[in-house]
Amino acid sequence: MTTDLNNDQSALAALDGLISHTTTQGIPTLYAPRPGEITAGLFFRVGRADETLATAGITHLVEHLALHRLGLSDLHYNGATANTYTLFHVTGNEDEVVAYLNSVCAALRDLPLARLETEREILRTEAAGRNGGPGSQLPLWRYGAQSYGLTSYNELGTWSLTADQVRHWAETRFTRDNAVLWLTSDQVPPGLDLTLPAGTRYPTPTATSALPATPAYIHGDDGHVVFNAVLPRSTAAAVFADVLGRALFQDLRQEGGYSYSAEADYTPRDADHATLTAYADALPKKQDAVVGGFIDTLARLRAGRIEQSELDSARTKILKMYDTPDLGAASLPSYALSLLLGHRILSPEQHRAELNAVTIADLRDVAREAWSDGLLQVPGRGADWAGFTLAPQYSQSAFTGTRHQSLEDDRVTLTIGTEGVSLTTPRGPVTVRYDSCAAMTTRPDGARSLTGRDGFCVSIEPTLYRGVTPERIATVDAAVPPAAVVHMPARDPEQIPQPRKRQTSTDAGGSTRSTWAWTLALWTIGLLAAVWGLLCAVITADESGAANPEWDAVIGVWVLELPLLLVTWKLYRARQRRRG
């Protein structure tokens, strides 16, 4: 722990004269004065990306439980759980800030776990009303069902996390060695009691990948074009984000008139990487034009066709942050988070020097790197024409095992194997390995839903497949690691899916025939086969009594009868399959 504190002190040396720093009960503390009430923030280096899909929401639960004892108050306070950190922040007078921080730390030392079930339900209610936004599925496609991809998923852990799991998470992650405190004050207020257990400073999670190749694209909702890329954190990359946002606004709104909103954002992901996100909206009739214009703008920047005025405008905008009154106090959250994540800390002078050194060539290099790592979400048609590869929609292979045909579509088969489960569809297989299952939800009625760490999901509904017995479900239950299992409550009987009574299937030509159509076809061909068979029998009888029978003719008519019988048999079998 001494090493971490020494590293912190060394990193903060660049801020001497701007921000003061010390430790409070072992927690690194940054402070700088500002007139008026005090604002304070207590960061912990733990967030959504540290969880698993099966425990998703555990950090958020700790945050809610830590704030419960504060109850209703006029005090301005809150908590926030992000990908790589959790923040408790407050604004008030000195006594109020001290009381808030002391209360949070006291609750973290002894969580009110009697509230666990209530807070789990509150989080589920909160999630039900949350709108993920137009790019909310991009993390899933980029990272899979783990690490930074978990923000695309619901907080599954709120259904089954135990008190012991939540307590252990708080004891190991919400520690003094995994925290940083900041305050807009000229001193650390007396009376603070931030006593927390000793621990370790956790590094940010290692990023995973679900994309075999980039640049890649996925299909999304109408009206939205979204692009993101992961870049090394740098001053040039931050400037490029501003240049890209301005270029999209000019090209798509001011000149093309295709979009109302067109913007770009640069958000730190961890100590060394940031996420560049660009967005443009579009009316349905203009979606293709927006996609084309969006890609053209990226291509222009990749080619280095950037005006010096574009770079100068972006640089000037960023430099204005140093015109902020009480700069030290205003910069506290950013510096505290950089310290927490292990990112380099630059003094204002060092940052200005880097900004002034950025060139058009630097921006071109960032544009090329962004394109190379890009993931594009498009409405409507794809983006293959622009050099993007469709992200994997299906697994590369399927398992062997017991086969269970769908009762709704005879082209779909569920396979339960010894290594995993597969769903075979006309377009390709979807497979989840037991040993790489991120989460499996279970229902008392036998339903199981397995999500692999690569993001692929296979749902087993015993009511929708032939022969999915309790014994077959027990095979799956025994193979999935217990840590990945999430027990869900029983469903109302009407919520349990049942096969559709009128099945449909789509042939290669795209036409849809229902069961009655197959019945009509069966009767028509069957009647024709019967009539023709009767005619064959009459001809055979007549020829057998003739003096010189024409057996060639007899054979000929019977040869024509055989295809009719074969077609009748196939139609009968097909109709039986559709009736289940």
Side-chain angles (χ1 to χ4, degrees):
M1 310 313 169
T2 303
T3 301
D4 286 338
L5 290 175
N6 290 338
N7 290 339
D8 289 345
Q9 297 297 325
S10 176
L12 293 170
L15 303 181
D16 288 346
L18 178 70
I19 289 174
S20 301
H21 50 90
T22 184
T23 59
T24 306
Q25 279 100 49
I27 299 175
T29 303
L30 284 62
Y31 59 99
R34 184 177 66 188
E37 293 185 311
I38 296 173
T39 296
L42 181 58
F43 276 119
F44 290 93
R45 222 306 296 141
V46 59
R48 287 293 309 272
D50 295 280
E51 304 167 347
T52 67
L53 182 58
T55 64
I58 190 170
T59 309
H60 201 178
L61 263 175
V62 172
E63 176 220 312
H64 270 231
L65 290 168
L67 292 176
H68 165 67
R69 289 173 179 162
L70 290 161
L72 294 175
S73 171
D74 293 332
L75 185 64
H76 180 68
Y77 72 89
N78 211 336
T81 301
N83 256 339
T84 56
Y85 66 84
T86 301
L87 170 65
F88 298 96
H89 59 93
V90 61
T91 297
N93 61 40
E94 185 175 285
D95 291 340
E96 291 170 332
V97 168
V98 168
Y100 170 83
L101 293 173
N102 289 358
S103 174
V104 167
C105 291
L108 290 172
R109 293 193 300 269
D110 183 19
L111 288 176
L113 291 170
R115 289 273 308 173
L116 181 60
E117 182 53 43
T118 300
E119 294 298 340
R120 293 198 309 188
E121 190 162 345
I122 289 172
L123 291 189
R124 293 195 294 269
T125 303
E126 181 182 333
R130 187 182 300 132
N131 181 3
S136 61
Q137 294 304 300
L138 288 175
L140 182 164
W141 287 92
R142 178 174 287 279
Y143 301 107
Q146 54 186 327
S147 70
Y148 301 94
L150 293 178
T151 54
S152 295
Y153 290 88
N154 290 329
E155 295 174 330
L156 273 183
T158 58
W159 290 102
S160 60
L161 284 166
T162 66
D164 286 343
Q165 287 176 298
V166 176
R167 182 187 297 109
H168 178 73
W169 193 253
E171 290 173 348
T172 56
R173 302 289 180 147
F174 289 83
T175 66
R176 66 173 184 244
D177 299 294
N178 204 34
V180 172
L181 171 69
W182 57 269
L183 309 103
T184 60
S185 173
D186 59 359
Q187 64 172 354
V188 177
L192 279 178
D193 181 8
L194 308 185
T195 304
L196 290 171
T200 187
R201 177 77 58 81
Y202 281 88
T204 50
T206 301
T208 53
S209 177
L211 292 175
T214 53
Y217 77 93
I218 61 172
H219 292 285
D221 295 334
D222 284 349
H224 307 287
V225 179
V226 192
F227 172 90
N228 78 8
V230 177
L231 301 169
R233 289 181 67 172
S234 68
T235 301
V239 174
F240 174 77
D242 193 86
V243 169
L244 175 60
R246 291 166 182 262
L248 289 172
F249 187 83
Q250 178 179 342
D251 295 347
L252 299 180
R253 176 171 173 172
Q254 292 184 321
E255 295 183 4
Y258 306 134
S259 299
Y260 177 77
S261 296
E263 57 199 24
D265 175 69
Y266 172 90
T267 303
R269 188 192 72 183
D270 52 38
D272 302 314
H273 297 88
T275 302
L276 171 72
T277 304
Y279 168 79
D281 58 9
L283 292 173
K285 292 182 179 180
K286 294 186 176 181
Q287 288 182 162
D288 287 346
V290 172
V291 172
F294 199 106
I295 291 174
D296 286 346
T297 299
L298 286 170
R300 172 173 73 83
L301 300 182
R302 284 167 56 214
R305 296 199 300 273
I306 305 170
E307 299 294 332
Q308 184 65 41
S309 58
E310 294 179 278
L311 168 56
D312 292 341
S313 294
R315 181 161 39 215
T316 299
K317 177 183 175 181
I318 297 174
L319 282 170
K320 283 183 179 178
M321 64 181 285
Y322 292 115
D323 297 332
T324 303
D326 307 307
L327 177 60
S331 304
L332 282 170
S334 174
Y335 285 130
L337 187 56
S338 291
L339 182 66
L340 185 77
L341 300 184
H343 181 60
R344 64 187 184 130
I345 291 178
L346 297 177
S347 68
E349 292 73 20
Q350 291 170 324
H351 190 212
R352 285 192 187 98
E354 287 200 359
L355 280 169
N356 290 324
V358 173
T359 66
I360 290 175
D362 294 330
L363 299 185
R364 179 200 61 206
D365 292 344
V366 174
R368 291 176 177 177
E369 191 166 6
W371 177 273
S372 176
D373 189 70
L375 176 59
L376 179 67
Q377 176 183 304
V378 295
R381 65 189 182 96
D384 309 80
W385 57 272
F388 288 82
T389 301
L390 181 63
Q393 309 293 300
Y394 298 95
S395 303
Q396 294 182 346
S397 61
F399 288 119
T400 58
T402 58
R403 293 168 58 84
H404 309 274
Q405 191 174 55
S406 168
L407 297 176
E408 296 186 317
D409 189 337
D410 61 345
R411 302 168 303 169
V412 176
T413 302
L414 170 69
T415 301
I416 299 177
T418 57
E419 297 179 81
V421 294
S422 295
L423 194 66
T424 305
T425 74
R427 294 182 179 272
V430 178
T431 293
V432 177
R433 294 183 59 90
Y434 298 134
D435 59 7
S436 63
C437 181
M440 179 181 75
T441 60
T442 73
R443 296 280 188 180
D445 55 55
R448 302 291 185 265
S449 183
L450 294 84
T451 301
R453 287 197 287 266
D454 57 6
F456 286 116
C457 180
V458 174
S459 293
I460 304 175
E461 291 283 358
T463 53
L464 299 184
Y465 296 94
R466 285 194 181 92
V468 181
T469 62
E471 290 73 23
R472 300 311 301 149
I473 295 297
T475 299
V476 176
D477 290 348
V480 173
V485 177
V486 178
H487 298 291
M488 306 289 282
R491 296 182 285 190
D492 292 333
E494 59 269 19
Q495 292 180 322
I496 299 174
Q498 300 296 328
R500 290 169 295 180
K501 292 182 179 180
R502 292 187 64 181
Q503 284 72 14
T504 62
S505 64
T506 303
D507 60 26
S511 63
T512 301
R513 297 192 180 100
S514 59
T515 303
W516 67 265
W518 286 94
T519 303
L520 178 62
L522 173 62
W523 278 100
T524 301
I525 300 300
L527 183 60
L528 180 59
V531 171
W532 190 262
L534 181 61
L535 178 62
C536 289
V538 171
I539 292 173
T540 301
D542 287 345
E543 290 298 324
S544 64
N548 295 304
E550 297 181 6
W551 296 114
D552 289 345
V554 173
I555 294 172
V557 294
W558 279 107
V559 168
L560 293 176
E561 171 69 2
L562 293 176
L564 291 173
L565 292 173
L566 180 61
V567 171
T568 301
W569 172 249
K570 287 185 174 294
L571 287 171
Y572 172 77
R573 291 297 304 275
R575 179 175 175 272
Q576 289 298 103
R577 285 196 296 268
R578 279 156 179 76
R579 294 180 63 180

